[in-house]
Amino acid sequence: MQIGHNRKKMTGAQCLADMLQGYGVTHVFHVPAVLRTTYAEMERRTDIKRLHVHGEKSAAYMADGYARATGKPGICMAQVIGALNLAAGLRDAWLAHSPVIAFTGGREAKTKFRKVYQEVDDVPAFEPVTKFNATVDDVARFPDMVRQAFRAAVSGTPGPVHLQFRGNEGQIDLEEAEMEPLVEPLFAKVPPFRPQPDHASVNAALKQLQEAERPVIVAGGGVRASGAAHELVALAETLQIPVATSLNGKDSIPGVHPLAVGVCGTYSRESANRVVNRADLVCFIGTETGGMTTHFWAVPEIGRPAVQIDIDPEALGRNYPVVACINGDAKVTLTKMRELADAGSAGRRKAWVAEAQKICDEWRQKYKAALTSDAVPIRPERLCHELTQHVPDDAIVVVDTGHAGMWMGGMYDLRSPKQSYMRSAGHLGWAFPAGLGAKCGCPERPVVTFTGDAGFWYHIGELETAVRWKINAVTVVNNNGGGNQSKRGFDRVYGGTQTEKARELWTFNKMNFARIAEDIGALGIRVEDAKALPAALAQALAANRPAVIDVVTDIEALAPVAVT
Ligand SMILES: Cc1ncc(C[n+]2csc(CCOP(=O)(O)OP(=O)(O)O)c2C)c(N)n1
Ligand SMILES: [Mg+2]
């Protein structure tokens, strides 16, 4: 179709509302007031839900959770005074390569530099956390700029985008022009394209893997973005190669699969690091090979022979010099590799697979007591173990950072390829609003969020949003009365044991989150005995309203640190 062929006179608001609907957007997350006229047009012309939330950062996190759960861009918005709060919320989406599109109000050329109320130049602040950061200064540009926003968000390695609309509240949307609200459905979802790998590089990589006696795959978030989990597991099975994942790639293979060795890196499981560090060849698929996944390049150490597969050619060999590499989409690349793979070579790795499984068994034995502990207050390991057993097969599990990331990354196992796992890329407080966004995007799937109490406090006000919008996610709070991941660090700086007064640096008042949840209109369940966890989870999942399971855990419990 010729762009602009069906132009007609319309307002920017009408055009934007039609385009968002056309791209399949079902929810937008905002703090008023920005693009007010567009909101009115959304009501008249579309069935997009307009969620008015309690802060711009949580609006961005909800959009991020929505995006990671659906693969469709998540939309968040703020007027000029909230713009940097929104930018702060894009930082996790940037780190996790999540396609979030942020709209903000911006400056009028007529009044720039005159000390306009609430105004600063926000655009530069979006630069480090976006793939595309632009201003919309003329209403006639709505169609092409919105298309570019979607195109940039979902293409290649996905990521956040920012459009600043002229006017502190984006009042440019009131203006009229001859426009066509044309959408490109191709760019409504990740991935728009699946670049095919070239034959020679596939063969070179296969040769390395097939000749190796002790190879390991490290699968990252690129596998989940590509929807390539099935193909990854199939190749690993064909060639008999153990699979570790990054935290972001944890749902590339169920934790109960015989070739799965766990999450490697810093917030990891001991068995995964041990297997990676005993491997003679490491095959990185869709991972940045960053500090978290490699425990600051000690797992494996730089120089270990590596094969790398990535959609972004600039990622290939960035941290680990490669003996072979492939540029392509993970799903089509893994499919092609499996077609060409020599299954007969698998026998060469029999002893290695047995060794990897022994290492996994040793881990299970080492943590069995903690995973099944009846201790009161509850051990976090037991909490994770109960979730492994009782989270539904089709659930989306959403996990905060810090100890939450360590506990769940290391102790929780996905039981089914239908489960999804999404984690904070580093920001404490991300998971609770992200879980709500995920539930908006996938209302038919159970969403179970795991957060610490410090993480939950950040955006606890969004419980009211969840109740008002009937976002029936389940939030499990590992409630130990403080941010106890910090304990070890403070012990260290106090020369071994911190003073009693030092606890003011990381503890809070004890709190009953179940009671707060009930006051706000959610279901609140307080759990003080681990045996009550399965029933609590079942009740929460069936509640037909948002639910908070407030689990009272041991403030002295510290997650195991990474082994090398
Ligand atoms: C935005 C942000 N600020 C600070 C931190 C550092 N940080 C990591 S974990 C943590 C405390 C976590 O406390 P809680 O959520 O209660 O979990 P717990 O360690 O108690 O299990 C802090 C402050 C962070 N990751 N992100
Ligand atoms: Mg805590």
Side-chain angles (χ1 to χ4, degrees):
M1 186 196 296
Q2 203 187 334
I3 292 178
H5 190 65
N6 291 316
R7 283 195 286 172
K8 58 175 188 272
K9 194 163 188 179
M10 64 198 311
T11 63
Q14 291 166 338
C15 180
L16 183 54
D18 287 357
M19 289 185 78
L20 292 178
Q21 172 99 332
Y23 274 102
V25 171
T26 57
H27 296 69
V28 295
F29 307 92
H30 72 109
V31 176
V34 59
L35 298 168
R36 283 179 204 261
T37 317
T38 302
Y39 276 101
E41 292 295 353
M42 279 185 202
E43 185 172 326
R44 287 187 199 112
R45 308 163 79 89
T46 79
D47 45 24
I48 297 171
K49 296 189 168 65
R50 305 158 299 171
L51 277 74
H52 169 209
V53 308
H54 290 281
E56 292 84 3
K57 179 149 59 71
S58 48
Y61 289 169
M62 287 183 204
D64 188 0
Y66 176 99
R68 292 194 215 180
T70 62
K72 299 192 300 185
I75 313 289
C76 53
M77 310 196 198
Q79 70 177 65
V80 77
I81 191 62
L84 293 196
N85 297 348
L86 200 66
L90 294 184
R91 203 170 179 280
D92 213 82
W94 170 258
L95 294 172
H97 307 298
S98 171
V100 176
I101 299 179
F103 295 152
T104 64
R107 311 162 95 188
E108 290 278 1
K110 272 187 271 185
T111 52
K112 270 185 184 174
F113 313 117
R114 299 182 71 182
K115 302 293 176 195
V116 175
Y117 178 54
Q118 298 180 323
E119 187 177 290
V120 299
D121 180 6
D122 295 308
V123 174
F126 282 87
E127 203 57 30
V129 293
T130 52
K131 289 179 73 181
F132 178 56
N133 176 28
T135 59
V136 182
D137 309 304
D138 183 323
V139 71
R141 300 296 304 278
F142 271 47
D144 77 289
M145 293 299 277
V146 172
R147 280 199 299 276
Q148 189 61 24
F150 276 85
R151 211 178 282 127
V154 301
S155 295
T157 303
V161 164
H162 170 231
L163 291 185
Q164 188 196 67
F165 291 85
R166 176 162 54 72
N168 64 335
E169 297 179 356
Q171 293 92 330
I172 188 176
D173 69 346
L174 261 175
E175 296 172 17
E176 285 185 327
E178 293 279 329
M179 290 182 281
E180 179 183 359
L182 181 78
V183 306
E184 296 163 328
L186 184 61
F187 298 104
K189 204 169 172 205
V190 175
F193 299 105
R194 295 190 176 278
Q196 293 273 349
D198 73 71
H199 202 67
S201 54
V202 169
N203 279 334
L206 271 176
K207 183 169 185 295
Q208 293 291 335
L209 288 170
Q210 286 164 180
E211 285 175 3
E213 287 182 5
R214 307 164 65 81
V216 66
I217 289 169
V218 175
V223 174
R224 83 183 308 270
S226 170
H230 173 78
E231 290 73 11
L232 170 81
V233 173
L235 181 71
E237 286 172 351
T238 302
L239 291 178
Q240 287 296 298
I241 302 178
V243 179
T245 74
S246 70
L247 268 184
N248 201 17
K250 188 171 163 79
D251 56 7
S252 314
I253 182 167
V256 296
H257 191 282
L259 289 170
V261 299
V263 172
C264 60
T266 303
Y267 292 177
S268 58
R269 179 178 292 185
E270 185 173 328
S271 52
N273 282 9
R274 287 180 63 195
V275 170
V276 171
N277 265 351
R278 279 164 182 68
D280 60 3
L281 178 72
V282 181
C283 177
F284 295 106
I285 309 178
T287 161
E288 294 184 307
T289 65
M292 171 59 79
T293 300
T294 62
H295 195 40
F296 295 85
W297 308 285
V299 182
E301 81 289 359
I302 288 173
R304 188 77 56 92
V307 169
Q308 196 172 352
I309 301 166
D310 208 282
I311 197 163
D312 175 9
E314 291 178 27
L316 299 169
R318 178 184 286 131
N319 290 321
Y320 292 89
V322 290
V323 292
C325 63
I326 308 176
N327 179 220
D329 167 68
K331 194 182 181 93
V332 298
T333 300
L334 289 163
T335 303
K336 186 161 245 177
M337 288 174 83
R338 180 150 179 250
E339 278 163 20
L340 299 174
D342 169 17
S345 75
R348 190 173 291 154
R349 289 172 286 279
K350 209 168 165 190
W352 167 235
V353 169
E355 184 181 335
Q357 286 169 344
K358 184 162 167 284
I359 289 171
C360 292
D361 283 344
E362 284 167 10
W363 177 83
R364 263 179 226 108
Q365 290 310 318
K366 182 169 173 183
Y367 286 97
K368 192 173 175 188
L371 290 164
T372 55
S373 165
D374 287 329
V376 177
I378 294 168
R379 289 289 310 186
E381 297 92 330
R382 172 76 188 268
L383 170 56
C384 295
H385 189 57
E386 293 296 331
L387 293 175
T388 296
Q389 290 168 292
H390 299 291
V391 163
D393 273 0
D394 59 339
I396 302 173
V397 177
V398 185
V399 180
D400 215 46
T401 192
H403 253 156
M406 295 173 85
W407 290 127
M408 287 292 277
M411 304 290 164
Y412 175 78
D413 275 322
L414 291 108
R415 274 197 337 269
S416 150
K418 287 188 291 184
Q419 280 179 348
S420 305
Y421 187 96
M422 306 168 3
R423 60 79 176 106
S424 164
H427 293 84
L428 193 65
W430 173 87
F432 172 54
L436 299 182
K439 185 71 182 170
C440 291
C442 301
E444 72 294 348
R445 293 181 68 184
V447 171
V448 178
T449 297
F450 183 101
T451 175
D453 52 319
F456 191 48
W457 276 122
Y458 265 82
H459 305 107
I460 196 168
E462 301 304 350
L463 257 178
E464 188 277 334
T465 306
V467 170
R468 184 163 31 93
W469 279 94
K470 300 183 173 46
I471 308 170
N472 299 339
V474 175
T475 304
V476 178
V477 186
N478 174 32
N479 183 6
N480 52 18
N484 85 322
Q485 194 192 33
S486 305
K487 181 176 183 294
R488 231 176 329 230
F490 285 119
D491 279 342
R492 196 168 51 237
V493 297
Y494 276 89
T497 312
Q498 60 188 283
T499 59
E500 202 43 45
K501 190 166 167 51
R503 288 172 90 90
E504 73 191 23
L505 297 168
W506 58 277
T507 60
F508 302 126
N509 286 347
K510 290 206 170 9
M511 199 56 54
N512 185 323
F513 290 114
R515 213 181 296 147
I516 295 174
E518 285 288 331
D519 277 353
I520 295 177
L523 171 67
I525 310 174
R526 178 98 163 162
V527 176
E528 295 178 357
D529 178 346
K531 289 197 257 331
L533 282 166
L537 192 61
Q539 189 190 350
L541 287 163
N544 259 328
R545 56 179 168 144
V548 173
I549 306 178
D550 181 25
V551 186
V552 183
T553 58
D554 186 355
I555 195 164
E556 301 303 326
L558 297 178
V561 295
V563 301
T564 50

